[in-house]
Amino acid sequence: MSQVQKGMLAPVTALGGASLRLVSEMGAMFLFFMDSFRLMFSSFGQIPKTVRQIFFIGVKSISVIALIGLFTGMVIGLQTYYALSKFGSEGFLGAAVALSLVRELAPVLTAFMVTGRAGSSMTAEIGVMRITEQVDALEIMDINPMSYLVSPKLAACLISFPVLTTLFDLIGMAGGYLTGVSLMGGNAGAYLYRIDSSLDWEDVSGGYIKSLVFAVIVCTVCCYQGYFTHLREDKGPEGVSQATTTAVVMSCVLILVADYVLTSILY
Amino acid sequence: MDSKSRYDIRLEDLTVGYGEKAVVSDVNVTLPGGRITVILGGSGSGKSTLLKHILRLHRPIAGRVTIGGHDIFNLSRKALRCLKQRLGLLFQDGALLGSLTLFDNIALPLREHTRLKEKAIAEIVRAKAGLVGLADFLGYFPNQLSGGMRKRAGLARAMVMDPEILFCDEPTSGLDPVNSAALDDLLLELKRRFDMTLVVVSHDLASMRRIADHVVVLGQGRVIFDGGLAELEATTDPYLRRFLERRAEESVGEMLTLPKLDPKVMKIDCSKYLGDGGR
């Protein structure tokens, strides 16, 4: 092949190489998830570790989720009230706030916030353990690092995400009430009635399914990036910071991609 | 097979490294059971890399490692678990888990692999911590301890399951002479009392002379000596003599003849503030 042909094919070669790497990494992450999921049920000893992780991932995220939920609900309440009032349909405010929160915003924004707060620290924690030989120490002590480090985090994410999403839903609806009813003077009875009448079980269960899928994505991506920090070119502290950045960006992108796919399937 | 040769560690045609890049090649040595073998070599000679391969943390590029006749890369899962529970490793920096206290770090293998009650675990942990002089620091986290204390804590953790083979990666580096000597004494005592097999990676000549029964020296990417301490001391090999006598290469002296840095190139003229003493 001549140099000119090689030059012309270079972008295609690069794209092909990148695609293969992406597919390969996704496959490795899937196997990583399967292994950590299997080890979740390996022994009763996982329970105290999982409880500690629920405290870190779930309980410590409550305040930030409550704050974000409140302001998100308030903004939706305000914006939707303005839009609906143009058509004289303020009475549908409760339905609009509830549906947008339960179906879409609560699972997605909760996942984003937990990625930023807990996901990044999961990557950094495991990454630092990797570069300081703590993961090797676990292996030498015949303690499976996946079982000790990753599985309790996965279990904690699977428990915490739906609970935090529910909290986001409730506080968001209260936020919508504050602006749409208390501030703008909408009808309180109509707001609550429309929430009750418009929400179906499919909406709620769809939100929960999304939150569980996001839990798997966030935990798998963040733990995977930390766990394999030592395979990066830079194996030191810079490698940990790069792994953390990659974990957060990749989690956010995958959350949005999965959100689109799930929305297409579920509703 | 007597109790000592049960834990002979044989490295056969072993080539270790990272990826395809070999760090140490064609290693054919036996680390005898019930003895202290010191693996000696300069910085970057591949001592720690070899140790990690002996411990199955990495796969070798070629060759095999057997412990007591068992190829460690061809063991069943249960046999491997049994073997691992008989091994202990002291890492260079201790490798204590940062999120656990010293007590929990030392207790971790007992909690994971035994059915002991907390009271019995606490007794063992206090005894092992006492052996390395850390009984009063059990409530501390690793980042509250000095480097030497972390190393001693790592040794306590490595010993907590009463291993039959103990590997130590540079156990005396970063320790003061008194603590180094105490650690050497502890290793000798472990061998004497428990018939333990010890493999110590080090470049501390004083420590090597105190504890070694058998020495393996690495250099230039291969094994350059394998034998007893007396045989090593009597060697006429120029590289080994320079190493044993701590003689630097001549080229280092030549580097010191380079001219000193000209004060004019400094961004701050320190002589203004410190007089001539500031250059």
Side-chain angles (χ1 to χ4, degrees):
Chain A
M1 194 184 289
S2 71
Q3 287 298 321
V4 177
Q5 280 175 317
K6 272 188 186 170
M8 284 170 70
L9 286 174
V12 182
T13 311
L15 186 66
S19 306
L20 283 175
R21 277 195 299 278
L22 182 71
V23 171
S24 159
E25 190 157 29
M26 290 295 157
M29 273 193 227
F30 180 72
L31 293 176
F32 184 84
F33 159 69
M34 293 299 285
D35 203 20
S36 54
F37 186 78
R38 177 181 61 81
L39 290 166
M40 265 170 40
F41 310 100
S42 59
S43 75
F44 288 111
Q46 294 289 59
I47 296 171
K49 291 173 206 153
T50 304
V51 171
R52 272 196 293 275
Q53 289 300 323
I54 289 174
F55 178 74
F56 174 69
I57 296 166
V59 177
K60 285 192 166 181
S61 297
I62 286 177
S63 54
V64 71
I65 293 294
L67 196 68
I68 300 295
L70 180 71
F71 281 98
T72 305
M74 286 169 72
V75 168
I76 299 173
L78 205 56
Q79 290 281 23
T80 315
Y81 185 89
Y82 285 137
L84 291 175
S85 63
K86 288 185 180 172
F87 310 102
S89 312
E90 299 94 326
F92 288 96
L93 180 66
V97 170
L99 284 174
S100 52
L101 279 172
V102 171
R103 282 179 162 211
E104 200 60 51
L105 290 172
V108 172
L109 291 181
T110 300
F112 280 167
M113 293 318 297
V114 179
T115 302
R117 206 202 67 77
S120 54
S121 77
M122 283 191 244
T123 310
E125 179 198 338
I126 298 176
V128 167
M129 290 183 77
R130 177 58 90 178
I131 63 166
T132 55
E133 296 183 313
Q134 293 178 47
V135 175
D136 288 344
L138 287 171
E139 278 183 27
I140 290 294
M141 289 187 278
D142 191 32
I143 298 169
N144 187 334
M146 289 288 289
S147 165
Y148 187 83
L149 295 173
V150 183
S151 295
K153 289 182 171 61
L154 180 62
C157 280
L158 288 170
I159 294 167
S160 303
F161 270 59
V163 177
L164 290 172
T165 302
T166 308
L167 184 73
F168 195 110
D169 286 334
L170 295 174
I171 293 179
M173 285 180 220
Y177 184 94
L178 276 179
T179 48
V181 177
S182 304
L183 185 69
M184 304 305 292
N187 186 299
Y191 183 85
L192 296 174
Y193 171 74
R194 286 293 173 194
I195 289 177
D196 182 40
S197 62
S198 63
L199 276 182
D200 293 326
W201 173 239
E202 284 76 34
D203 301 315
V204 180
S205 63
Y208 284 143
I209 290 170
K210 281 186 177 182
S211 70
L212 289 172
V213 172
F214 297 160
V216 169
I217 289 173
V218 171
C219 185
T220 305
V221 171
C222 292
C223 292
Y224 178 89
Q225 292 297 333
Y227 199 81
F228 293 108
T229 299
H230 63 305
L231 299 183
R232 289 176 171 269
E233 276 181 24
D234 193 328
K235 293 172 173 59
E238 202 170 317
V240 177
S241 84
Q242 285 169 3
T244 308
T245 308
T246 307
V248 171
V249 172
M250 195 184 275
S251 296
C252 291
V253 170
L254 287 177
I255 286 167
L256 290 175
V257 171
D259 185 42
Y260 173 75
V261 173
L262 287 170
T263 304
S264 311
I265 296 168
L266 291 169
Y267 303 115
Chain B
M1 197 180 278
D2 65 38
S3 66
K4 284 184 179 175
S5 62
R6 224 174 94 195
Y7 292 109
D8 278 354
I9 302 166
R10 290 183 59 79
L11 316 181
E12 298 170 10
D13 302 321
L14 191 69
T15 296
V16 299
Y18 297 102
E20 290 299 304
K21 190 183 165 204
V23 177
V24 187
S25 306
D26 299 322
V27 181
N28 277 295
V29 294
T30 300
L31 315 181
R35 305 281 185 85
I36 299 182
T37 299
V38 175
I39 300 177
L40 202 65
S43 299
S45 60
K47 305 182 296 290
S48 298
T49 305
L50 182 65
L51 188 65
K52 284 180 180 170
H53 283 78
I54 297 174
L55 286 160
R56 211 178 174 273
L57 286 172
H58 302 295
R59 276 202 165 265
I61 295 171
R64 64 182 208 142
V65 178
T66 63
I67 297 180
H70 303 287
D71 183 342
I72 60 165
F73 290 97
N74 278 320
L75 284 177
S76 68
R77 186 177 286 192
K78 281 200 175 160
L80 182 64
R81 293 201 69 174
C82 293
L83 179 68
K84 277 186 173 181
Q85 288 175 20
R86 289 176 189 176
L87 306 178
L89 169 64
L90 165 59
F91 283 84
Q92 237 178 73
D93 191 39
L96 301 172
L97 303 194
S99 57
L100 303 182
T101 62
L102 194 50
F103 181 94
D104 290 331
N105 261 291
I106 301 172
L108 185 61
L110 292 171
R111 286 183 178 144
E112 292 286 330
H113 300 307
T114 69
R115 294 190 189 90
L116 289 171
K117 296 264 187 290
E118 270 304 305
K119 198 178 162 197
I121 289 176
E123 274 177 28
I124 297 172
V125 169
R126 270 194 284 275
K128 299 291 180 184
L131 268 180
V132 294
L134 290 175
D136 296 333
F137 297 90
L138 288 171
Y140 286 55
F141 283 92
N143 63 0
Q144 295 171 305
L145 303 173
S146 71
M149 289 162 104
R150 280 201 295 272
K151 188 162 281 186
R152 283 186 280 150
L155 181 60
R157 187 182 63 184
M159 292 191 307
V160 80
M161 293 286 286
D162 294 331
E164 290 171 80
I165 309 175
L166 183 63
F167 295 88
C168 303
D169 193 358
E170 310 221 358
T172 53
S173 70
L175 294 185
D176 61 76
V178 176
N179 272 316
S180 290
L183 195 77
D184 289 343
D185 289 345
L186 180 61
L187 297 181
L188 287 167
E189 194 62 18
L190 287 172
K191 184 194 76 164
R192 194 182 64 79
R193 261 209 230 174
F194 304 113
D195 199 18
M196 200 183 263
T197 304
L198 289 111
V199 178
V200 178
V201 160
S202 179
H203 50 221
D204 181 345
L205 292 172
S207 173
M208 186 263 300
R209 286 181 170 122
R210 280 185 65 129
I211 63 173
D213 298 312
H214 183 90
V215 185
V216 174
V217 185
L218 302 183
Q220 297 144 357
R222 60 190 176 85
V223 173
I224 53 175
F225 178 84
D226 173 24
L229 183 59
E231 204 183 327
L232 177 67
E233 296 286 15
T235 185
T236 53
D237 181 281
Y239 178 86
L240 289 173
R241 287 259 46 103
R242 202 166 60 231
F243 197 90
L244 292 171
E245 290 161 17
R246 304 187 62 196
R247 269 192 286 118
E249 292 187 43
E250 284 75 3
S251 59
V252 177
E254 284 167 21
M255 282 167 66
L256 293 175
T257 61
L258 286 171
K260 282 175 79 176
L261 207 56
D262 186 350
K264 285 177 192 159
V265 304
M266 304 304 289
K267 287 187 175 171
I268 299 174
D269 182 3
C270 292
S271 61
K272 276 188 191 170
Y273 306 100
L274 301 174
D276 287 341
R279 291 209 298 181

